[in-house]
Amino acid sequence: MLRRNTYLVLGGLIALLLIGLLVFKPGLESNHAPSPATAARTQSDANKDFTLFSANGPTSLSSFKGKYVLLYFGYTFCPDICPTSLSNVASALKQLTPEQNANLQLLFISVDPERDTPLRLQEYVTFFNPGFIGLTGDQTSISDVTTQYKVIYAKQPAKSGSETYSIDHSAMLYVLDRDGKQIDQIGHDASPDQIAASLSKHLNPPKDKP
Amino acid sequence: MKSLALLTCGLLLSASALAGTADQISIQDPYIRLAPPNALATGAFMVIHNSSNKDVKLVKASNPLSKVTELHTHINDNGVMKMRAVPAVDIKAGGDAVLQPGGLHIMLIEMKQPLKEGDIVPLTLGFEDGSSKTVDAKVRPIAPMMQQEHDRKH
Protein backbone atom coordinates (compact mmCIF):
# COMPACT_ATOMS: atom_id res chain seq x y z
CA MET A 1 0.00 0.00 0.00
CA LEU A 2 2.84 2.30 0.95
CA ARG A 3 4.67 1.42 -2.28
CA ARG A 4 1.56 2.10 -4.33
CA ASN A 5 1.24 5.53 -2.72
CA THR A 6 4.88 6.27 -3.49
CA TYR A 7 4.26 5.43 -7.14
CA LEU A 8 1.19 7.65 -7.18
CA VAL A 9 3.14 10.54 -5.68
CA LEU A 10 6.00 10.02 -8.11
CA GLY A 11 3.61 9.75 -11.03
CA GLY A 12 1.92 12.94 -9.90
CA LEU A 13 5.23 14.76 -9.66
CA ILE A 14 6.22 13.65 -13.15
CA ALA A 15 2.85 14.78 -14.50
CA LEU A 16 3.30 18.17 -12.81
CA LEU A 17 6.77 18.49 -14.29
CA LEU A 18 5.46 17.70 -17.76
CA ILE A 19 2.63 20.21 -17.39
CA GLY A 20 5.11 22.75 -16.12
CA LEU A 21 7.35 22.21 -19.13
CA LEU A 22 4.43 22.54 -21.53
CA VAL A 23 3.23 25.73 -19.89
CA PHE A 24 6.58 27.40 -19.49
CA LYS A 25 8.35 26.24 -22.63
CA PRO A 26 6.69 28.80 -24.92
CA GLY A 27 7.79 31.44 -22.43
CA LEU A 28 11.37 30.21 -22.57
CA GLU A 29 11.31 30.12 -26.34
CA SER A 30 10.08 33.65 -26.65
CA ASN A 31 12.93 34.77 -24.42
CA HIS A 32 15.41 33.27 -26.84
CA ALA A 33 13.76 34.28 -30.06
CA PRO A 34 15.21 37.43 -31.60
CA SER A 35 13.05 40.30 -30.43
CA PRO A 36 13.28 43.89 -31.64
CA ALA A 37 15.22 44.64 -28.45
CA THR A 38 17.94 42.03 -29.15
CA ALA A 39 18.07 43.02 -32.80
CA ALA A 40 18.71 46.61 -31.77
CA ARG A 41 21.37 45.46 -29.34
CA THR A 42 23.12 43.45 -32.07
CA GLN A 43 22.99 46.49 -34.29
CA SER A 44 24.70 48.69 -31.72
CA ASP A 45 27.22 45.91 -30.96
CA ALA A 46 28.36 46.17 -34.55
CA ASN A 47 29.40 49.78 -33.88
CA LYS A 48 31.15 48.91 -30.65
CA ASP A 49 34.80 49.87 -30.35
CA PHE A 50 37.41 47.18 -29.79
CA THR A 51 41.07 47.18 -28.87
CA LEU A 52 43.56 44.59 -30.11
CA PHE A 53 47.33 44.54 -30.60
CA SER A 54 49.26 45.59 -33.67
CA ALA A 55 53.05 45.63 -33.96
CA ASN A 56 52.81 49.20 -32.57
CA GLY A 57 50.96 48.18 -29.41
CA PRO A 58 47.31 48.44 -28.41
CA THR A 59 45.23 49.58 -31.36
CA SER A 60 41.54 50.48 -31.21
CA LEU A 61 39.04 50.68 -34.01
CA SER A 62 38.20 54.19 -32.74
CA SER A 63 41.74 55.36 -33.50
CA PHE A 64 40.77 55.21 -37.20
CA LYS A 65 37.72 57.44 -36.73
CA GLY A 66 37.39 59.67 -39.78
CA LYS A 67 38.61 56.92 -42.13
CA TYR A 68 36.71 54.15 -43.82
CA VAL A 69 37.90 50.86 -42.35
CA LEU A 70 38.06 47.52 -44.14
CA LEU A 71 38.05 44.56 -41.79
CA TYR A 72 39.25 41.15 -42.90
CA PHE A 73 39.47 38.15 -40.61
CA GLY A 74 42.15 35.58 -41.43
CA TYR A 75 45.45 34.08 -40.30
CA THR A 76 49.01 34.05 -41.57
CA PHE A 77 49.18 30.30 -42.05
CA CYS A 78 46.30 30.69 -44.53
CA PRO A 79 47.84 29.45 -47.76
CA ASP A 80 45.32 30.52 -50.36
CA ILE A 81 42.17 32.40 -49.37
CA CYS A 82 43.75 35.18 -47.28
CA PRO A 83 46.56 35.89 -49.75
CA THR A 84 44.02 36.01 -52.59
CA SER A 85 41.75 38.40 -50.67
CA LEU A 86 44.66 40.61 -49.57
CA SER A 87 46.13 40.71 -53.11
CA ASN A 88 42.72 41.63 -54.49
CA VAL A 89 42.26 44.45 -51.97
CA ALA A 90 45.81 45.71 -52.57
CA SER A 91 45.15 45.65 -56.29
CA ALA A 92 41.80 47.46 -55.84
CA LEU A 93 43.45 50.18 -53.73
CA LYS A 94 45.90 50.85 -56.57
CA GLN A 95 42.92 51.77 -58.73
CA LEU A 96 41.79 54.42 -56.22
CA THR A 97 43.15 57.95 -55.99
CA PRO A 98 45.73 58.89 -53.30
CA GLU A 99 42.98 60.96 -51.59
CA GLN A 100 40.69 57.93 -51.50
CA ASN A 101 43.51 55.78 -50.19
CA ALA A 102 44.23 58.32 -47.46
CA ASN A 103 40.65 57.84 -46.29
CA LEU A 104 40.91 54.04 -46.07
CA GLN A 105 42.52 51.64 -43.63
CA LEU A 106 42.62 47.86 -43.90
CA LEU A 107 42.75 45.92 -40.64
CA PHE A 108 43.55 42.22 -40.85
CA ILE A 109 42.30 40.55 -37.67
CA SER A 110 43.77 37.18 -36.77
CA VAL A 111 41.49 34.26 -36.02
CA ASP A 112 44.62 32.35 -35.00
CA PRO A 113 45.95 34.24 -31.95
CA GLU A 114 47.76 31.06 -30.89
CA ARG A 115 50.26 31.37 -33.75
CA ASP A 116 49.91 34.94 -35.00
CA THR A 117 51.98 37.45 -33.06
CA PRO A 118 51.58 41.18 -33.86
CA LEU A 119 55.03 41.20 -35.48
CA ARG A 120 54.34 38.13 -37.58
CA LEU A 121 51.06 39.68 -38.73
CA GLN A 122 52.76 42.93 -39.65
CA GLU A 123 55.36 41.13 -41.76
CA TYR A 124 52.60 39.18 -43.45
CA VAL A 125 50.15 41.96 -44.28
CA THR A 126 52.69 44.57 -45.34
CA PHE A 127 53.88 42.14 -48.01
CA PHE A 128 50.61 42.94 -49.80
CA ASN A 129 50.43 46.67 -49.04
CA PRO A 130 52.74 48.64 -46.74
CA GLY A 131 49.73 50.40 -45.21
CA PHE A 132 47.87 47.28 -44.09
CA ILE A 133 47.70 46.67 -40.35
CA GLY A 134 47.49 43.26 -38.67
CA LEU A 135 45.76 42.86 -35.31
CA THR A 136 45.61 40.08 -32.78
CA GLY A 137 44.81 39.61 -29.10
CA ASP A 138 44.00 36.95 -26.56
CA GLN A 139 41.36 34.32 -27.34
CA THR A 140 38.69 36.28 -25.44
CA SER A 141 39.17 39.56 -27.26
CA ILE A 142 39.33 37.79 -30.63
CA SER A 143 36.19 35.90 -29.75
CA ASP A 144 34.45 39.18 -28.77
CA VAL A 145 35.33 40.90 -32.05
CA THR A 146 34.40 37.92 -34.21
CA THR A 147 31.06 37.63 -32.40
CA GLN A 148 30.49 41.35 -32.96
CA TYR A 149 30.86 40.91 -36.74
CA LYS A 150 29.28 37.45 -36.82
CA VAL A 151 32.49 35.97 -38.18
CA ILE A 152 32.58 32.19 -38.10
CA TYR A 153 35.85 30.39 -37.58
CA ALA A 154 36.82 26.88 -36.54
CA LYS A 155 40.13 25.13 -36.15
CA GLN A 156 40.68 22.13 -38.40
CA PRO A 157 43.16 19.50 -37.25
CA ALA A 158 45.90 18.70 -39.74
CA LYS A 159 46.05 15.47 -41.67
CA SER A 160 48.46 12.98 -40.17
CA GLY A 161 52.04 13.75 -41.12
CA SER A 162 51.72 17.49 -40.71
CA GLU A 163 51.45 19.33 -37.40
CA THR A 164 50.03 22.51 -38.82
CA TYR A 165 46.29 23.01 -38.45
CA SER A 166 44.20 25.20 -40.68
CA ILE A 167 41.21 27.35 -39.80
CA ASP A 168 37.86 27.58 -41.54
CA HIS A 169 36.85 31.21 -41.57
CA SER A 170 34.42 33.76 -42.99
CA ALA A 171 36.31 35.33 -45.85
CA MET A 172 34.46 38.54 -46.58
CA LEU A 173 35.57 42.11 -46.32
CA TYR A 174 33.60 44.29 -43.93
CA VAL A 175 33.36 47.96 -44.88
CA LEU A 176 32.95 50.38 -41.96
CA ASP A 177 32.16 54.06 -42.36
CA ARG A 178 34.08 56.94 -40.77
CA ASP A 179 32.30 56.29 -37.46
CA GLY A 180 33.11 52.59 -37.40
CA LYS A 181 29.60 51.56 -38.42
CA GLN A 182 29.39 48.59 -40.77
CA ILE A 183 27.92 49.72 -44.08
CA ASP A 184 28.87 46.97 -46.52
CA GLN A 185 30.22 43.45 -46.94
CA ILE A 186 32.24 42.37 -49.96
CA GLY A 187 32.39 38.65 -50.83
CA HIS A 188 35.65 36.75 -50.99
CA ASP A 189 35.26 36.10 -54.73
CA ALA A 190 34.99 39.80 -55.65
CA SER A 191 37.58 40.86 -58.23
CA PRO A 192 39.87 43.87 -57.63
CA ASP A 193 37.67 45.87 -60.04
CA GLN A 194 34.53 44.99 -58.10
CA ILE A 195 36.18 45.87 -54.79
CA ALA A 196 37.43 49.20 -56.20
CA ALA A 197 33.94 49.97 -57.53
CA SER A 198 32.29 49.20 -54.17
CA LEU A 199 34.80 51.29 -52.27
CA SER A 200 34.51 54.23 -54.68
CA LYS A 201 30.76 54.16 -54.21
CA HIS A 202 31.22 54.68 -50.47
CA LEU A 203 34.13 57.10 -50.75
CA ASN A 204 32.41 59.31 -53.34
CA PRO A 205 28.71 59.21 -52.57
CA PRO A 206 26.79 61.30 -55.15
CA LYS A 207 25.91 63.97 -52.53
CA ASP A 208 29.61 64.64 -51.89
CA LYS A 209 30.24 65.46 -55.54
CA PRO A 210 30.56 69.17 -56.32
CA MET B 1 49.96 0.75 -88.89
CA LYS B 2 52.16 3.20 -87.06
CA SER B 3 49.40 3.96 -84.59
CA LEU B 4 48.88 0.24 -84.01
CA ALA B 5 52.56 -0.10 -83.20
CA LEU B 6 52.33 2.85 -80.85
CA LEU B 7 49.28 1.38 -79.20
CA THR B 8 51.05 -1.97 -78.72
CA CYS B 9 54.02 -0.13 -77.33
CA GLY B 10 51.77 1.80 -75.02
CA LEU B 11 50.07 -1.33 -73.79
CA LEU B 12 53.41 -3.00 -73.12
CA LEU B 13 54.74 0.08 -71.32
CA SER B 14 51.66 0.54 -69.21
CA ALA B 15 52.45 -2.77 -67.56
CA SER B 16 55.50 -1.19 -65.98
CA ALA B 17 55.09 1.15 -63.03
CA LEU B 18 57.02 4.10 -64.44
CA ALA B 19 55.13 4.55 -67.65
CA GLY B 20 51.38 4.45 -67.97
CA THR B 21 49.24 7.26 -66.69
CA ALA B 22 51.92 9.91 -66.38
CA ASP B 23 52.75 9.62 -70.09
CA GLN B 24 49.24 10.65 -71.01
CA ILE B 25 49.28 13.65 -68.73
CA SER B 26 50.38 17.11 -69.73
CA ILE B 27 50.69 20.07 -67.39
CA GLN B 28 50.00 23.64 -68.41
CA ASP B 29 51.25 26.71 -66.58
CA PRO B 30 52.44 25.20 -63.30
CA TYR B 31 53.17 27.96 -60.77
CA ILE B 32 53.53 28.55 -57.08
CA ARG B 33 52.07 31.56 -55.33
CA LEU B 34 54.68 34.00 -54.11
CA ALA B 35 53.81 34.13 -50.40
CA PRO B 36 54.92 36.61 -47.74
CA PRO B 37 58.45 35.65 -46.58
CA ASN B 38 57.18 34.40 -43.21
CA ALA B 39 54.28 32.36 -44.61
CA LEU B 40 54.18 28.79 -43.37
CA ALA B 41 52.50 27.51 -46.47
CA THR B 42 51.66 28.35 -50.03
CA GLY B 43 49.79 26.84 -52.95
CA ALA B 44 50.78 25.41 -56.32
CA PHE B 45 48.40 25.72 -59.25
CA MET B 46 48.21 24.38 -62.80
CA VAL B 47 45.97 22.80 -65.40
CA ILE B 48 46.40 19.03 -65.67
CA HIS B 49 45.32 17.58 -69.00
CA ASN B 50 44.57 13.88 -69.45
CA SER B 51 44.87 12.86 -73.10
CA SER B 52 44.08 9.20 -72.44
CA ASN B 53 40.67 7.62 -72.75
CA LYS B 54 40.63 6.61 -69.10
CA ASP B 55 39.90 8.69 -66.01
CA VAL B 56 43.06 9.36 -64.04
CA LYS B 57 43.58 10.19 -60.40
CA LEU B 58 46.34 12.39 -59.04
CA VAL B 59 46.91 10.92 -55.58
CA LYS B 60 49.97 12.71 -54.23
CA ALA B 61 52.55 15.40 -54.81
CA SER B 62 55.97 16.15 -53.41
CA ASN B 63 58.67 18.81 -53.64
CA PRO B 64 62.06 19.36 -52.02
CA LEU B 65 61.28 22.78 -50.50
CA SER B 66 58.44 22.04 -48.09
CA LYS B 67 58.24 19.46 -45.33
CA VAL B 68 54.75 18.38 -46.34
CA THR B 69 52.91 18.47 -49.66
CA GLU B 70 49.17 17.82 -49.73
CA LEU B 71 46.29 17.88 -52.19
CA HIS B 72 43.62 20.31 -51.07
CA THR B 73 40.38 21.89 -52.06
CA HIS B 74 38.22 24.71 -50.72
CA ILE B 75 34.55 24.51 -49.90
CA ASN B 76 32.65 27.79 -49.76
CA ASP B 77 30.03 27.26 -47.05
CA ASN B 78 27.99 30.49 -47.02
CA GLY B 79 31.06 32.70 -47.15
CA VAL B 80 33.04 30.50 -44.74
CA MET B 81 36.00 29.09 -46.64
CA LYS B 82 36.87 25.57 -45.55
CA MET B 83 40.12 24.10 -46.75
CA ARG B 84 40.15 20.32 -46.83
CA ALA B 85 42.73 17.73 -47.82
CA VAL B 86 41.44 15.50 -50.62
CA PRO B 87 42.59 11.91 -51.23
CA ALA B 88 42.77 12.44 -54.99
CA VAL B 89 42.17 14.90 -57.81
CA ASP B 90 40.17 13.36 -60.66
CA ILE B 91 41.18 14.09 -64.22
CA LYS B 92 38.51 12.81 -66.61
CA ALA B 93 39.40 10.98 -69.81
CA GLY B 94 40.29 13.65 -72.37
CA GLY B 95 39.60 16.34 -69.79
CA ASP B 96 41.34 18.84 -67.53
CA ALA B 97 41.66 19.31 -63.79
CA VAL B 98 42.04 22.99 -63.01
CA LEU B 99 44.03 23.78 -59.88
CA GLN B 100 43.43 27.46 -59.10
CA PRO B 101 43.22 29.89 -56.17
CA GLY B 102 40.07 29.36 -54.12
CA GLY B 103 39.65 25.77 -55.33
CA LEU B 104 41.76 22.68 -55.87
CA HIS B 105 45.43 23.22 -55.16
CA ILE B 106 48.60 21.50 -54.13
CA MET B 107 49.60 22.83 -50.75
CA LEU B 108 53.21 23.25 -49.73
CA ILE B 109 53.28 23.20 -45.93
CA GLU B 110 56.12 24.26 -43.63
CA MET B 111 58.53 25.78 -46.10
CA LYS B 112 62.19 24.97 -45.45
CA GLN B 113 63.14 28.37 -46.89
CA PRO B 114 61.18 31.39 -48.14
CA LEU B 115 60.48 31.30 -51.86
CA LYS B 116 61.49 34.24 -54.02
CA GLU B 117 59.82 35.46 -57.17
CA GLY B 118 61.20 33.55 -60.16
CA ASP B 119 62.38 30.51 -58.16
CA ILE B 120 61.76 27.20 -59.87
CA VAL B 121 60.45 24.35 -57.73
CA PRO B 122 60.43 20.80 -59.11
CA LEU B 123 57.00 19.44 -58.24
CA THR B 124 56.45 15.69 -58.57
CA LEU B 125 52.92 14.52 -59.22
CA GLY B 126 52.07 10.92 -58.33
CA PHE B 127 49.21 9.07 -60.03
CA GLU B 128 47.04 6.20 -58.89
CA ASP B 129 48.93 3.58 -60.93
CA GLY B 130 52.23 4.54 -59.30
CA SER B 131 53.54 6.49 -62.27
CA SER B 132 54.75 10.03 -61.70
CA LYS B 133 55.62 13.22 -63.52
CA THR B 134 57.84 16.10 -62.41
CA VAL B 135 57.17 19.65 -63.56
CA ASP B 136 59.03 22.88 -62.90
CA ALA B 137 56.73 25.28 -61.12
CA LYS B 138 57.72 28.93 -61.19
CA VAL B 139 57.17 31.15 -58.16
CA ARG B 140 55.17 34.25 -59.02
CA PRO B 141 52.75 36.74 -57.45
CA ILE B 142 49.24 35.43 -57.57
CA ALA B 143 47.01 38.15 -58.92
CA PRO B 144 47.56 38.32 -62.67
CA MET B 145 45.85 41.69 -62.58
CA MET B 146 48.49 43.02 -60.25
CA GLN B 147 51.14 41.75 -62.57
CA GLN B 148 49.51 43.44 -65.55
CA GLU B 149 49.33 46.72 -63.68
CA HIS B 150 52.94 46.28 -62.73
CA ASP B 151 53.84 45.64 -66.37
CA ARG B 152 51.87 48.65 -67.57
CA LYS B 153 53.65 50.98 -65.18
CA HIS B 154 57.12 49.90 -66.24
Side-chain angles (χ1 to χ4, degrees):
Chain A
M1 191 61 194
L2 188 71
R3 280 186 73 165
R4 204 176 147 218
N5 273 342
T6 314
Y7 281 130
L8 273 173
V9 170
L10 270 176
L13 279 173
I14 291 167
L16 273 173
L17 260 172
L18 283 173
I19 291 165
L21 275 177
L22 282 173
V23 170
F24 289 105
K25 208 178 161 227
L28 283 173
E29 267 180 352
S30 75
N31 277 345
H32 283 103
S35 65
T38 45
R41 194 159 60 236
T42 322
Q43 192 65 43
S44 67
D45 268 0
N47 301 339
K48 214 173 70 179
D49 192 21
F50 58 79
T51 303
L52 295 169
F53 284 86
S54 75
N56 294 322
T59 305
S60 302
L61 173 64
S62 56
S63 51
F64 301 101
K65 203 172 157 67
K67 282 189 179 189
Y68 284 82
V69 170
L70 306 174
L71 291 184
Y72 185 86
F73 294 83
Y75 62 115
T76 67
F77 174 71
C78 185
D80 184 22
I81 300 300
C82 309
T84 304
S85 300
L86 290 176
S87 304
N88 285 346
V89 175
S91 190
L93 296 190
K94 282 186 190 163
Q95 299 181 26
L96 302 180
T97 65
E99 292 74 33
Q100 289 175 319
N101 268 290
N103 280 317
L104 269 176
Q105 178 61 54
L106 179 124
L107 303 177
F108 180 93
I109 300 178
S110 175
V111 290
D112 188 13
E114 215 177 295
R115 289 184 297 196
D116 286 341
T117 62
L119 201 61
R120 184 173 170 76
L121 278 159
Q122 187 190 28
E123 280 168 17
Y124 185 85
V125 299
T126 52
F127 170 82
F128 299 94
N129 178 309
F132 286 178
I133 294 175
L135 296 175
T136 188
D138 56 25
Q139 293 281 4
T140 318
S141 17
I142 293 297
S143 156
D144 284 350
V145 179
T146 49
T147 308
Q148 189 177 328
Y149 291 96
K150 301 192 181 68
V151 168
I152 297 164
Y153 67 105
K155 209 162 152 175
Q156 277 302 318
K159 226 174 77 172
S160 58
S162 116
E163 289 161 18
T164 36
Y165 57 85
S166 67
I167 297 180
D168 298 343
H169 63 102
S170 303
M172 52 277 258
L173 198 62
Y174 298 81
V175 185
L176 315 186
D177 71 6
R178 295 172 199 272
D179 296 317
K181 186 178 156 218
Q182 190 188 321
I183 47 170
D184 203 357
Q185 242 182 53
I186 302 174
H188 132 83
D189 45 6
S191 69
D193 287 354
Q194 288 167 326
I195 298 171
S198 298
L199 296 179
S200 293
K201 187 182 72 193
H202 297 302
L203 289 162
N204 307 324
K207 61 178 172 18
D208 279 358
K209 280 185 183 156
Chain B
M1 195 55 210
K2 197 182 164 199
S3 64
L4 185 67
L6 274 175
L7 185 69
T8 318
C9 244
L11 284 173
L12 283 172
L13 280 173
S14 65
S16 84
L18 278 171
T21 297
D23 288 349
Q24 312 272 355
I25 295 292
S26 54
I27 311 289
Q28 287 143 32
D29 193 25
Y31 69 97
I32 290 171
R33 176 202 296 272
L34 176 69
N38 65 355
L40 276 166
T42 191
F45 309 95
M46 66 196 70
V47 176
I48 307 174
H49 179 70
N50 172 9
S51 55
S52 77
N53 54 7
K54 274 192 317 188
D55 293 355
V56 162
K57 276 182 196 297
L58 170 69
V59 293
K60 61 178 181 187
S62 60
N63 82 90
L65 293 184
S66 71
K67 286 189 188 157
V68 182
T69 314
E70 290 180 356
L71 306 177
H72 279 235
T73 192
H74 273 107
I75 302 156
N76 183 345
D77 180 5
N78 271 323
V80 180
M81 296 307 291
K82 300 181 170 179
M83 187 175 73
R84 294 290 180 270
V86 290
V89 172
D90 294 317
I91 313 133
K92 295 273 174 223
D96 291 328
V98 182
L99 276 57
Q100 61 184 356
L104 285 167
H105 59 280
I106 294 171
M107 187 153 136
L108 282 54
I109 306 168
E110 293 180 55
M111 303 309 299
K112 294 175 187 165
Q113 64 189 70
L115 296 178
K116 294 186 306 292
E117 187 169 355
D119 282 355
I120 303 283
V121 180
L123 201 57
T124 303
L125 309 177
F127 300 95
E128 199 180 21
D129 66 348
S131 64
S132 62
K133 191 175 196 76
T134 301
V135 293
D136 282 340
K138 196 170 182 179
V139 178
R140 68 169 200 230
I142 200 69
M145 296 204 48
M146 272 175 84
Q147 194 53 49
Q148 279 162 23
E149 271 172 27
H150 188 77
D151 290 343
R152 268 205 304 273
K153 280 174 190 161
H154 291 275

